[in-house]
Amino acid sequence: MVLRHLLAPPRSLPPTPESVLEVVGRLGSLQFDPLEVAGRNHDLVLLARIRGYERAWTDHWLYEDRRLYETYNKSLNIVPVAELPLYRWVWDRMAARHAEGAFDDHAPLVEELLGRIREQGHLLPRDVGPREAIDWYWRPTNQVRAILEALAEVGTIGIARREGNLRVYDLAERLFPPEILAERRPEEEQQVHRLVARYRGNGLLGASGNQELWVGGTGHAADRARHRAIAVEEGRLLPVQVEGIKGDRFIVAEDLGYLQQAAREVAEGTAPGGAPPAVTFLAPLDPLCWDRDLLRRLFGFDYVWEVYVPEAKRRWGYYVLPILYGDRLVGRIEPRLDRKAGVLRILGLWWEPGFDPAAEGIVGPLAAAIDAHRTFGGLAKVELPRTARHRAVVTEVQRELRRLA
């Protein structure tokens, strides 16, 4: 899993914008989440794999060169523009939903907004001015924001750029190549591709699992079984068995080499990728973490992202990341970017039962991962926990950070 996820060792890809495309090519998609506590989710996924990663690199491919775009598949995801025809069903499904709903109910506003975009170009929702709120998904929402979101969901408009987390819209015909927009693929071909994309993202999914793995239009279990059977028959998915886990798991065919490499390394007793174990922090929605049950069974690691858990019920913290050391998940860390103060604050640090950081030689690799996170945030200093139980490790990490400075 760590080999095929480009995490053996972490931050091994060169510090160039093209490395972003390599990660997307390997994983198929990056889940977009706007919360920026330790960094946005997709930025953290890339930071774990690319040395010296800069968030501007992804923005370049999304909003300038436009090799990537945002679409809904499992959630809001970043996928290659070249695969847009294979995700077009997402637009078509939402078009059927909105045609006799929001677009009929608010037809004058639809025409007004499209007219403004045609004549004036890029449009921020706030440029139009406030309008009456309407019921929209989970909560009442300003009409302008809701209708622009609906027009983007059906592919009439797209995200030209973002100002912070605010979406700036333009016509899809101005954002994507005409031949890409004109291309139509059979619905079943799209559905098989979208299902295979879930397996490509995680790397070792089974036939079932938590419903969160399949949300976003992969259909019922029978639909998934049919599409998975097609992918297996075509040689795109390969069934494998994992010792101690019942039922088939599936890898994408391109990953067979990583499975064979891992088998050789295990037999030879060498570290993953033949490199000394290093440390990285995994994003809450990193594809490696999608299947929480698999994390428990493979890594012995119980991970719950507690950002939506009431504070009184949290076991760890608001935005806590798993610590990957080599091919083991050995603890959790809660980094917080404080750009105003220029400080990376480590609010919490927890080790798994039985893991002794002093005996395991993790101090140097941990300091390197913290320093990479500090550099990513453009921050000058690191503030570590001052609790007594971490004093020995923190002292050593501080010494390493001074050496790296």
Side-chain angles (χ1 to χ4, degrees):
M1 286 289 277
V2 296
L3 283 171
R4 64 89 52 191
H5 271 276
L6 297 166
L7 293 169
R11 299 181 298 281
S12 58
L13 295 182
T16 66
E18 287 71 24
S19 290
V20 173
L21 299 180
E22 184 172 346
V23 175
V24 175
R26 175 70 58 85
L27 303 179
S29 62
L30 300 175
Q31 197 161 337
F32 187 102
D33 187 90
L35 281 178
E36 190 164 8
V37 179
R40 297 174 301 179
N41 181 77
H42 68 276
D43 290 322
L44 295 178
V45 172
L46 294 163
L47 175 63
R49 293 159 172 86
I50 302 172
R51 185 171 71 258
Y53 169 72
E54 298 178 15
R55 57 182 289 165
W57 296 345
T58 306
D59 291 347
H60 167 78
W61 298 120
L62 281 169
Y63 313 126
E64 296 173 21
D65 194 278
R66 300 195 187 282
R67 299 270 292 277
L68 304 174
Y69 82 110
E70 301 174 34
T71 192
Y72 285 92
N73 183 44
K74 186 179 182 292
S75 59
L76 186 59
N77 270 261
I78 297 169
V79 302
V81 166
E83 295 182 10
L84 189 154
L86 291 165
Y87 287 99
R88 195 180 186 98
W89 180 87
V90 178
W91 288 354
D92 295 341
R93 181 185 68 160
M94 297 309 296
R97 174 176 181 171
H98 289 312
E100 297 179 359
F103 292 159
D104 270 357
D105 296 342
H106 304 280
L109 182 57
V110 171
E111 288 306 311
E112 176 190 345
L113 294 174
L114 288 177
R116 289 184 65 143
I117 295 174
R118 289 190 193 101
E119 294 170 10
Q120 301 175 22
H122 296 178
L123 182 69
L124 259 170
R126 67 186 181 195
D127 293 340
V128 182
R131 303 289 174 89
E132 179 185 354
I134 59 174
D135 288 335
W136 192 251
Y137 293 117
W138 301 281
R139 60 184 182 275
T141 300
N142 181 289
Q143 285 184 61
V144 172
R145 178 180 173 184
I147 297 305
L148 285 171
E149 184 176 324
L151 288 167
E153 288 175 345
V154 306
T156 302
I157 62 177
I159 300 175
R161 67 179 190 278
R162 286 179 180 266
E163 293 186 5
N165 283 325
L166 299 178
R167 303 174 185 182
V168 181
Y169 294 103
D170 201 352
L171 297 176
E173 62 201 57
R174 295 173 181 161
L175 303 177
F176 303 113
E179 63 273 16
I180 291 287
L181 290 176
E183 186 175 350
R184 294 292 190 274
R185 298 287 188 93
E187 181 178 324
E188 185 165 76
E189 181 184 359
Q190 295 184 55
Q191 296 291 49
V192 172
H193 175 83
R194 294 173 63 252
L195 184 67
V196 170
R198 304 295 171 93
Y199 286 94
R200 180 178 302 282
N202 178 258
L204 204 61
L205 295 182
S208 59
N210 191 294
Q211 185 59 27
E212 289 182 5
L213 296 170
W214 313 112
V215 294
T218 57
H220 298 295
D223 298 320
R224 293 197 297 272
R226 185 176 76 257
H227 297 145
R228 185 170 51 251
I230 292 171
V232 171
E233 183 179 355
E234 293 176 347
R236 298 167 66 183
L237 288 180
L238 305 177
V240 298
Q241 289 75 46
V242 179
E243 184 179 355
I245 297 180
K246 293 181 179 179
D248 285 340
R249 313 299 288 194
F250 297 87
I251 65 172
V252 292
E254 298 89 335
D255 282 356
L256 183 58
Y258 299 111
L259 186 60
Q260 294 168 339
Q261 179 183 347
R264 289 194 303 270
E265 291 178 349
V266 169
E268 296 167 358
T270 57
V279 167
T280 195
F281 313 135
L282 298 180
L285 304 173
D286 192 296
L288 180 63
C289 299
W290 280 359
D291 191 339
R292 307 296 203 224
D293 182 60
L294 188 64
L295 283 187
R296 285 189 290 269
R297 297 162 81 178
L298 277 188
F299 293 90
F301 190 80
D302 186 16
Y303 180 58
V304 177
W305 189 30
E306 296 182 311
V307 70
Y308 299 115
V309 175
E311 184 174 0
K313 296 184 178 181
R314 291 179 193 143
R315 288 184 297 169
W316 312 108
Y318 178 66
Y319 206 99
V320 171
L321 312 181
I323 300 174
L324 181 71
Y325 182 35
D327 62 353
R328 294 182 293 164
L329 290 170
V330 300
R332 302 153 209 267
I333 191 168
E334 187 174 12
R336 183 73 54 88
L337 301 178
D338 186 344
R339 289 196 171 93
K340 186 176 181 181
V343 178
L344 173 64
R345 304 188 191 279
I346 307 300
L347 302 186
L349 184 62
W350 302 266
W351 302 112
E352 287 293 275
F355 183 81
D356 182 350
E360 294 279 359
I362 198 176
V363 168
L366 176 63
I370 291 173
D371 193 59
H373 210 111
R374 177 196 63 78
T375 302
F376 158 72
L379 306 173
K381 297 187 296 183
V382 174
E383 184 179 282
L384 296 165
R386 298 180 179 179
T387 53
R389 65 191 176 96
H390 293 311
R391 185 173 296 131
V393 170
V394 164
T395 298
E396 292 300 316
V397 168
Q398 286 173 330
R399 184 178 294 115
E400 283 293 313
L401 288 173
R402 286 193 295 270
R403 188 182 66 79
L404 292 170

